Amino acid sequence: MDGIHYVPPEDGIRGIQSVIDEHAPNVSIRLGTGEYVGRELTLDHGVHLVGNGRNATRLVLADGANTDLLRTPNPDERTCMQVLLQNITFDGNKDNNSSGDGVYGSFWNGRFVDCDFVTAAGKGFWLAGSSMASTDDNYFRGCRFVASVGDGLQIGLNRDAGPAVGVSRLESCWFGSNRGRGVKIRGNDNIITNSKFYANRDTDVVIDRGDRNQIRQSDLSKQDPTAPCVELIASKGVNSIGNKIDGNVIFGSFRDAIYCNADRNDIVALQIHDNTVLGRTGGPERNRSAIFAEGSAFVACSARNNTLQGDYTASALRIPSSWQTSGNIL
Protein backbone atom coordinates (compact mmCIF):
# COMPACT_ATOMS: atom_id res chain seq x y z
CA MET A 1 0.00 0.00 0.00
CA ASP A 2 1.20 3.49 -0.90
CA GLY A 3 0.29 5.06 2.45
CA ILE A 4 -3.16 6.42 3.33
CA HIS A 5 -4.45 9.37 1.31
CA TYR A 6 -7.20 11.64 2.62
CA VAL A 7 -9.60 13.27 0.17
CA PRO A 8 -11.97 15.97 1.54
CA PRO A 9 -15.59 16.22 0.33
CA GLU A 10 -15.00 19.48 -1.52
CA ASP A 11 -12.60 17.66 -3.89
CA GLY A 12 -15.50 15.48 -4.98
CA ILE A 13 -15.28 12.27 -6.97
CA ARG A 14 -12.71 13.90 -9.25
CA GLY A 15 -10.36 14.22 -6.27
CA ILE A 16 -10.71 10.53 -5.44
CA GLN A 17 -10.04 9.64 -9.08
CA SER A 18 -6.88 11.74 -9.09
CA VAL A 19 -5.45 9.78 -6.15
CA ILE A 20 -6.28 6.45 -7.82
CA ASP A 21 -4.77 7.54 -11.13
CA GLU A 22 -1.57 8.70 -9.44
CA HIS A 23 -1.01 6.00 -6.82
CA ALA A 24 -2.84 2.80 -7.87
CA PRO A 25 -2.58 -0.13 -7.81
CA ASN A 26 -2.71 -0.80 -4.07
CA VAL A 27 -3.74 2.52 -2.56
CA SER A 28 -5.71 3.27 0.61
CA ILE A 29 -8.01 6.31 0.52
CA ARG A 30 -9.80 7.75 3.55
CA LEU A 31 -12.90 9.87 3.02
CA GLY A 32 -14.42 12.42 5.38
CA THR A 33 -17.94 13.34 6.43
CA GLY A 34 -20.02 14.88 3.64
CA GLU A 35 -21.02 14.41 0.00
CA TYR A 36 -18.61 13.64 -2.82
CA VAL A 37 -20.39 14.60 -6.05
CA GLY A 38 -19.29 13.65 -9.57
CA ARG A 39 -19.44 10.94 -12.18
CA GLU A 40 -18.00 7.48 -12.89
CA LEU A 41 -15.24 6.77 -10.43
CA THR A 42 -13.03 4.07 -12.00
CA LEU A 43 -11.22 1.67 -9.66
CA ASP A 44 -7.99 -0.30 -9.98
CA HIS A 45 -6.45 -3.31 -8.22
CA GLY A 46 -6.10 -3.00 -4.46
CA VAL A 47 -8.03 0.24 -4.00
CA HIS A 48 -9.27 0.55 -0.41
CA LEU A 49 -11.95 3.24 -0.11
CA VAL A 50 -13.10 3.83 3.47
CA GLY A 51 -15.55 6.43 4.78
CA ASN A 52 -16.68 7.60 8.23
CA GLY A 53 -19.93 5.61 8.09
CA ARG A 54 -22.75 5.16 5.62
CA ASN A 55 -24.72 7.93 7.31
CA ALA A 56 -21.73 10.25 7.16
CA THR A 57 -19.88 9.65 3.87
CA ARG A 58 -21.84 9.75 0.64
CA LEU A 59 -20.77 9.45 -3.00
CA VAL A 60 -23.48 10.99 -5.21
CA LEU A 61 -23.84 10.80 -8.98
CA ALA A 62 -24.05 14.32 -10.38
CA ASP A 63 -27.32 15.54 -11.90
CA GLY A 64 -27.57 14.55 -15.56
CA ALA A 65 -24.40 12.44 -15.55
CA ASN A 66 -26.26 9.31 -16.71
CA THR A 67 -23.20 7.14 -16.04
CA ASP A 68 -22.35 4.49 -13.48
CA LEU A 69 -21.36 6.00 -10.16
CA LEU A 70 -18.48 3.55 -9.66
CA ARG A 71 -17.06 0.97 -12.06
CA THR A 72 -14.07 -1.14 -12.98
CA PRO A 73 -12.33 -0.77 -16.36
CA ASN A 74 -13.44 -3.14 -19.16
CA PRO A 75 -15.38 -5.63 -16.99
CA ASP A 76 -15.64 -8.28 -19.71
CA GLU A 77 -11.85 -8.37 -20.18
CA ARG A 78 -10.39 -7.99 -16.67
CA THR A 79 -11.20 -7.90 -12.99
CA CYS A 80 -10.14 -5.62 -10.17
CA MET A 81 -8.49 -7.63 -7.43
CA GLN A 82 -8.77 -7.11 -3.67
CA VAL A 83 -10.86 -3.94 -3.65
CA LEU A 84 -12.33 -2.79 -0.33
CA LEU A 85 -15.36 -0.49 -0.02
CA GLN A 86 -16.35 0.27 3.57
CA ASN A 87 -18.61 2.66 5.52
CA ILE A 88 -19.90 4.59 2.49
CA THR A 89 -23.26 5.28 0.83
CA PHE A 90 -23.26 5.14 -2.97
CA ASP A 91 -26.20 7.25 -4.17
CA GLY A 92 -27.19 6.87 -7.84
CA ASN A 93 -29.44 9.97 -7.69
CA LYS A 94 -32.21 8.37 -9.78
CA ASP A 95 -34.39 11.48 -9.58
CA ASN A 96 -31.86 13.42 -11.67
CA ASN A 97 -30.43 10.65 -13.89
CA SER A 98 -32.11 8.36 -16.40
CA SER A 99 -29.43 5.64 -16.54
CA GLY A 100 -26.44 4.22 -14.72
CA ASP A 101 -25.77 1.59 -12.05
CA GLY A 102 -24.54 2.43 -8.58
CA VAL A 103 -21.62 0.03 -9.05
CA TYR A 104 -20.83 -1.88 -12.24
CA GLY A 105 -17.72 -4.01 -12.40
CA SER A 106 -15.86 -7.32 -12.26
CA PHE A 107 -14.15 -8.03 -8.95
CA TRP A 108 -12.02 -10.85 -7.54
CA ASN A 109 -11.64 -11.17 -3.77
CA GLY A 110 -13.55 -7.92 -3.22
CA ARG A 111 -14.77 -6.89 0.23
CA PHE A 112 -17.85 -4.69 0.56
CA VAL A 113 -18.57 -3.89 4.19
CA ASP A 114 -21.26 -1.71 5.82
CA CYS A 115 -22.07 0.15 2.62
CA ASP A 116 -25.38 1.35 1.16
CA PHE A 117 -26.07 1.09 -2.59
CA VAL A 118 -29.18 3.18 -3.14
CA THR A 119 -31.42 5.04 -5.58
CA ALA A 120 -29.69 4.08 -8.83
CA ALA A 121 -31.46 4.65 -12.15
CA GLY A 122 -30.25 1.14 -13.07
CA LYS A 123 -29.06 -1.54 -10.65
CA GLY A 124 -27.77 -0.76 -7.18
CA PHE A 125 -24.74 -3.04 -7.66
CA TRP A 126 -23.91 -5.19 -10.68
CA LEU A 127 -21.22 -7.75 -9.82
CA ALA A 128 -20.39 -8.51 -13.43
CA GLY A 129 -18.86 -11.61 -14.92
CA SER A 130 -15.65 -11.50 -16.94
CA SER A 131 -14.91 -13.69 -19.96
CA MET A 132 -11.15 -13.35 -19.46
CA ALA A 133 -10.53 -13.52 -15.69
CA SER A 134 -11.83 -15.00 -12.44
CA THR A 135 -14.60 -13.18 -10.56
CA ASP A 136 -14.78 -15.48 -7.53
CA ASP A 137 -14.55 -14.89 -3.78
CA ASN A 138 -16.44 -11.62 -3.26
CA TYR A 139 -17.91 -10.88 0.14
CA PHE A 140 -20.71 -8.51 1.19
CA ARG A 141 -21.34 -7.93 4.91
CA GLY A 142 -23.86 -5.56 6.45
CA CYS A 143 -24.66 -3.85 3.15
CA ARG A 144 -28.02 -2.38 2.12
CA PHE A 145 -29.40 -2.37 -1.42
CA VAL A 146 -32.38 -0.04 -1.43
CA ALA A 147 -34.74 1.91 -3.72
CA SER A 148 -33.09 1.43 -7.11
CA VAL A 149 -35.06 1.37 -10.35
CA GLY A 150 -33.51 -1.98 -11.37
CA ASP A 151 -32.32 -4.88 -9.22
CA GLY A 152 -30.73 -4.19 -5.87
CA LEU A 153 -27.86 -6.58 -6.69
CA GLN A 154 -27.12 -8.61 -9.80
CA ILE A 155 -24.51 -11.35 -9.62
CA GLY A 156 -23.25 -12.56 -13.01
CA LEU A 157 -23.55 -11.61 -16.68
CA ASN A 158 -22.34 -8.27 -18.02
CA ARG A 159 -23.32 -5.77 -20.70
CA ASP A 160 -21.27 -7.51 -23.39
CA ALA A 161 -21.50 -11.23 -22.66
CA GLY A 162 -22.96 -13.80 -20.32
CA PRO A 163 -20.36 -15.30 -17.97
CA ALA A 164 -21.51 -16.53 -14.58
CA VAL A 165 -20.08 -15.45 -11.23
CA GLY A 166 -19.39 -17.79 -8.32
CA VAL A 167 -18.43 -17.98 -4.67
CA SER A 168 -20.00 -14.73 -3.50
CA ARG A 169 -21.01 -14.48 0.14
CA LEU A 170 -23.79 -12.16 1.34
CA GLU A 171 -24.14 -11.96 5.11
CA SER A 172 -26.54 -9.76 7.11
CA CYS A 173 -27.53 -7.62 4.13
CA TRP A 174 -30.77 -5.71 3.43
CA PHE A 175 -32.66 -5.56 0.13
CA GLY A 176 -35.69 -3.30 0.05
CA SER A 177 -38.02 -1.18 -2.10
CA ASN A 178 -36.22 -1.89 -5.36
CA ARG A 179 -38.45 -1.76 -8.43
CA GLY A 180 -36.62 -4.79 -9.83
CA ARG A 181 -35.47 -7.88 -7.96
CA GLY A 182 -33.67 -7.87 -4.65
CA VAL A 183 -30.93 -10.20 -5.94
CA LYS A 184 -30.50 -11.96 -9.29
CA ILE A 185 -27.88 -14.73 -9.38
CA ARG A 186 -26.38 -16.28 -12.51
CA GLY A 187 -23.63 -18.54 -11.26
CA ASN A 188 -22.52 -21.21 -8.82
CA ASP A 189 -21.67 -21.56 -5.13
CA ASN A 190 -23.14 -18.23 -4.02
CA ILE A 191 -24.54 -18.06 -0.48
CA ILE A 192 -27.05 -15.61 1.04
CA THR A 193 -27.44 -15.88 4.80
CA ASN A 194 -29.04 -13.91 7.66
CA SER A 195 -30.38 -11.26 5.29
CA LYS A 196 -33.61 -9.28 4.99
CA PHE A 197 -35.79 -8.75 1.90
CA TYR A 198 -38.77 -6.42 1.98
CA ALA A 199 -41.08 -4.59 -0.44
CA ASN A 200 -39.13 -5.33 -3.61
CA ARG A 201 -41.55 -4.99 -6.51
CA ASP A 202 -40.19 -8.01 -8.41
CA THR A 203 -38.89 -11.33 -7.04
CA ASP A 204 -36.72 -11.07 -3.94
CA VAL A 205 -34.14 -13.71 -4.96
CA VAL A 206 -33.79 -15.27 -8.43
CA ILE A 207 -31.35 -18.10 -9.13
CA ASP A 208 -31.33 -17.99 -12.91
CA ARG A 209 -29.47 -21.19 -13.81
CA GLY A 210 -26.81 -22.16 -11.34
CA ASP A 211 -25.45 -24.91 -9.10
CA ARG A 212 -24.92 -25.24 -5.35
CA ASN A 213 -26.31 -21.81 -4.46
CA GLN A 214 -27.83 -21.40 -1.00
CA ILE A 215 -30.44 -19.11 0.56
CA ARG A 216 -30.36 -19.64 4.32
CA GLN A 217 -31.71 -18.19 7.55
CA SER A 218 -33.17 -15.07 5.92
CA ASP A 219 -36.44 -13.10 6.18
CA LEU A 220 -38.40 -12.38 2.99
CA SER A 221 -41.63 -10.42 2.79
CA LYS A 222 -43.91 -8.84 0.21
CA GLN A 223 -46.98 -6.64 0.33
CA ASP A 224 -48.79 -7.67 -2.87
CA PRO A 225 -49.02 -10.99 -4.76
CA THR A 226 -47.44 -9.95 -8.07
CA ALA A 227 -44.18 -11.96 -7.87
CA PRO A 228 -42.66 -14.85 -5.93
CA CYS A 229 -40.24 -14.34 -3.07
CA VAL A 230 -37.74 -16.97 -4.30
CA GLU A 231 -37.46 -18.24 -7.87
CA LEU A 232 -35.23 -21.02 -9.21
CA ILE A 233 -34.87 -21.50 -12.98
CA ALA A 234 -33.33 -24.13 -15.26
CA SER A 235 -33.50 -23.13 -18.93
CA LYS A 236 -31.66 -22.35 -22.19
CA GLY A 237 -29.68 -25.58 -22.14
CA VAL A 238 -28.52 -25.23 -18.53
CA ASN A 239 -29.63 -27.44 -15.61
CA SER A 240 -29.72 -26.15 -12.03
CA ILE A 241 -28.12 -28.63 -9.63
CA GLY A 242 -27.71 -28.90 -5.88
CA ASN A 243 -29.30 -25.63 -4.76
CA LYS A 244 -30.61 -25.20 -1.20
CA ILE A 245 -33.37 -23.01 0.23
CA ASP A 246 -33.13 -23.67 3.93
CA GLY A 247 -34.35 -22.26 7.25
CA ASN A 248 -35.95 -19.05 5.95
CA VAL A 249 -39.04 -17.18 7.13
CA ILE A 250 -41.26 -15.97 4.25
CA PHE A 251 -44.39 -13.96 4.95
CA GLY A 252 -46.91 -11.45 3.61
CA SER A 253 -48.59 -11.28 0.21
CA PHE A 254 -46.74 -12.98 -2.64
CA ARG A 255 -47.60 -14.93 -5.78
CA ASP A 256 -45.67 -17.96 -4.52
CA ALA A 257 -43.27 -18.06 -1.60
CA ILE A 258 -40.94 -20.37 -3.56
CA TYR A 259 -41.36 -20.96 -7.31
CA CYS A 260 -39.32 -23.48 -9.33
CA ASN A 261 -39.43 -23.57 -13.13
CA ALA A 262 -37.69 -26.39 -15.02
CA ASP A 263 -38.11 -24.78 -18.45
CA ARG A 264 -37.02 -27.60 -20.82
CA ASN A 265 -34.05 -28.31 -18.55
CA ASP A 266 -33.67 -30.20 -15.28
CA ILE A 267 -33.68 -29.05 -11.70
CA VAL A 268 -31.61 -31.64 -9.83
CA ALA A 269 -31.07 -32.30 -6.10
CA LEU A 270 -32.92 -29.17 -4.98
CA GLN A 271 -33.51 -29.05 -1.22
CA ILE A 272 -36.30 -26.86 0.21
CA HIS A 273 -36.09 -27.64 3.92
CA ASP A 274 -37.09 -26.18 7.29
CA ASN A 275 -38.69 -22.99 5.98
CA THR A 276 -41.62 -21.21 7.62
CA VAL A 277 -44.11 -19.68 5.17
CA LEU A 278 -46.82 -17.43 6.57
CA GLY A 279 -49.07 -16.33 3.75
CA ARG A 280 -51.57 -13.55 4.18
CA THR A 281 -54.94 -14.56 5.60
CA GLY A 282 -58.31 -12.88 5.35
CA GLY A 283 -57.45 -10.25 2.76
CA PRO A 284 -59.02 -9.58 -0.65
CA GLU A 285 -55.89 -10.77 -2.51
CA ARG A 286 -54.65 -14.25 -1.75
CA ASN A 287 -51.35 -15.92 -2.44
CA ARG A 288 -51.26 -18.69 -5.07
CA SER A 289 -49.03 -21.28 -3.36
CA ALA A 290 -46.37 -21.60 -0.70
CA ILE A 291 -44.16 -23.89 -2.83
CA PHE A 292 -44.91 -24.35 -6.54
CA ALA A 293 -42.80 -26.37 -9.00
CA GLU A 294 -43.56 -26.80 -12.69
CA GLY A 295 -41.77 -27.74 -15.88
CA SER A 296 -40.04 -30.62 -17.58
CA ALA A 297 -38.00 -32.60 -15.06
CA PHE A 298 -37.17 -32.60 -11.37
CA VAL A 299 -34.61 -35.18 -10.24
CA ALA A 300 -33.95 -36.12 -6.59
CA CYS A 301 -35.66 -32.99 -5.24
CA SER A 302 -37.16 -32.62 -1.77
CA ALA A 303 -39.39 -30.28 0.23
CA ARG A 304 -39.17 -31.41 3.85
CA ASN A 305 -40.00 -30.14 7.32
CA ASN A 306 -41.54 -26.88 6.09
CA THR A 307 -44.36 -25.12 7.92
CA LEU A 308 -46.78 -23.70 5.33
CA GLN A 309 -49.62 -21.57 6.68
CA GLY A 310 -51.99 -19.00 5.15
CA ASP A 311 -54.76 -18.68 2.56
CA TYR A 312 -53.92 -19.83 -0.98
CA THR A 313 -55.95 -19.77 -4.20
CA ALA A 314 -54.32 -23.11 -5.09
CA SER A 315 -52.90 -25.62 -2.63
CA ALA A 316 -50.03 -24.61 -0.36
CA LEU A 317 -47.74 -27.34 -1.76
CA ARG A 318 -47.88 -27.85 -5.55
CA ILE A 319 -44.98 -30.06 -6.57
CA PRO A 320 -44.53 -33.23 -8.65
CA SER A 321 -45.16 -36.56 -6.99
CA SER A 322 -41.51 -37.55 -7.48
CA TRP A 323 -40.41 -35.15 -4.75
CA GLN A 324 -39.61 -36.28 -1.20
CA THR A 325 -42.03 -34.46 1.12
CA SER A 326 -41.81 -35.83 4.65
CA GLY A 327 -42.41 -33.70 7.73
CA ASN A 328 -44.24 -30.75 6.20
CA ILE A 329 -46.90 -29.01 8.31
CA LEU A 330 -49.79 -27.56 6.28
Side-chain angles (χ1 to χ4, degrees):
M1 284 285 177
D2 182 23
I4 298 176
H5 302 264
Y6 175 72
V7 178
E10 56 267 24
D11 286 1
I13 290 175
R14 182 176 295 179
I16 303 171
Q17 190 69 67
S18 294
V19 173
I20 293 172
D21 293 345
E22 182 176 352
H23 297 281
N26 303 319
V27 58
S28 182
I29 301 171
R30 187 63 189 252
L31 304 180
T33 298
E35 290 191 350
Y36 294 75
V37 180
R39 65 176 63 206
E40 201 164 79
L41 177 65
T42 302
L43 298 177
D44 202 342
H45 299 307
V47 172
H48 288 191
L49 195 61
V50 179
N52 281 344
R54 58 178 139 215
N55 294 322
T57 304
R58 198 173 193 93
L59 269 63
V60 182
L61 188 64
D63 292 357
N66 295 315
T67 64
D68 303 316
L69 176 57
L70 186 150
R71 63 173 294 146
T72 64
N74 304 316
D76 190 47
E77 298 180 5
R78 58 169 291 192
T79 62
C80 275
M81 298 185 291
Q82 297 178 322
V83 166
L84 169 68
L85 305 177
Q86 186 171 7
N87 294 331
I88 303 168
T89 287
F90 297 88
D91 183 346
N93 188 16
K94 65 183 181 184
D95 291 339
N96 297 294
N97 286 280
S98 60
S99 62
D101 297 327
V103 177
Y104 173 64
S106 295
F107 297 90
W108 176 83
N109 199 25
R111 297 295 181 262
F112 312 104
V113 181
D114 293 330
C115 288
D116 285 0
F117 304 96
V118 303
T119 61
K123 299 171 175 59
F125 195 119
W126 189 346
L127 183 61
S130 174
S131 298
M132 312 284 286
S134 173
T135 50
D136 289 350
D137 191 30
N138 292 290
Y139 181 57
F140 297 82
R141 188 187 71 212
C143 292
R144 298 188 296 191
F145 305 80
V146 178
S148 288
V149 174
D151 300 339
L153 171 64
Q154 178 165 327
I155 298 174
L157 311 179
N158 65 45
R159 292 172 184 160
D160 301 310
V165 168
V167 200
S168 296
R169 300 291 184 263
L170 285 70
E171 180 183 349
S172 301
C173 292
W174 287 57
F175 302 84
S177 300
N178 298 289
R179 294 185 197 173
R181 293 153 291 211
V183 181
K184 179 182 178 181
I185 297 172
R186 174 72 177 95
N188 305 324
D189 302 296
N190 301 286
I191 299 176
I192 300 171
T193 186
N194 294 317
S195 292
K196 171 70 176 176
F197 296 80
Y198 61 96
N200 296 295
R201 187 173 298 180
D202 207 330
T203 307
D204 290 313
V205 184
V206 177
I207 301 173
D208 181 8
R209 296 163 289 163
D211 300 340
R212 301 175 304 277
N213 299 287
Q214 300 180 47
I215 306 167
R216 303 188 329 220
Q217 304 297 324
S218 294
D219 294 342
L220 305 95
S221 64
K222 285 196 171 304
Q223 283 134 20
D224 59 79
T226 58
C229 291
V230 179
E231 183 173 3
L232 174 66
I233 302 169
S235 67
K236 300 178 181 177
V238 180
N239 297 330
S240 289
I241 302 172
N243 296 286
K244 297 182 69 173
I245 303 167
D246 181 68
N248 304 286
V249 176
I250 304 173
F251 60 97
S253 291
F254 41 76
R255 192 181 71 196
D256 306 294
I258 301 169
Y259 173 63
C260 308
N261 184 10
D263 183 10
R264 296 184 296 276
N265 291 97
D266 296 347
I267 291 177
V268 180
L270 168 64
Q271 297 180 34
I272 303 175
H273 294 174
D274 298 299
N275 300 283
T276 299
V277 178
L278 304 171
R280 181 176 177 176
T281 59
E285 295 180 317
R286 294 187 178 183
N287 310 314
R288 185 171 67 178
S289 294
I291 303 173
F292 181 27
E294 63 178 346
S296 57
F298 294 88
V299 180
C301 295
S302 58
R304 293 177 175 170
N305 301 320
N306 301 287
T307 298
L308 311 176
Q309 298 294 294
D311 293 338
Y312 300 97
T313 57
S315 61
L317 189 61
R318 298 173 65 199
I319 58 177
S321 60
S322 62
W323 286 47
Q324 297 292 321
T325 59
S326 62
N328 293 307
I329 301 174
L330 281 73

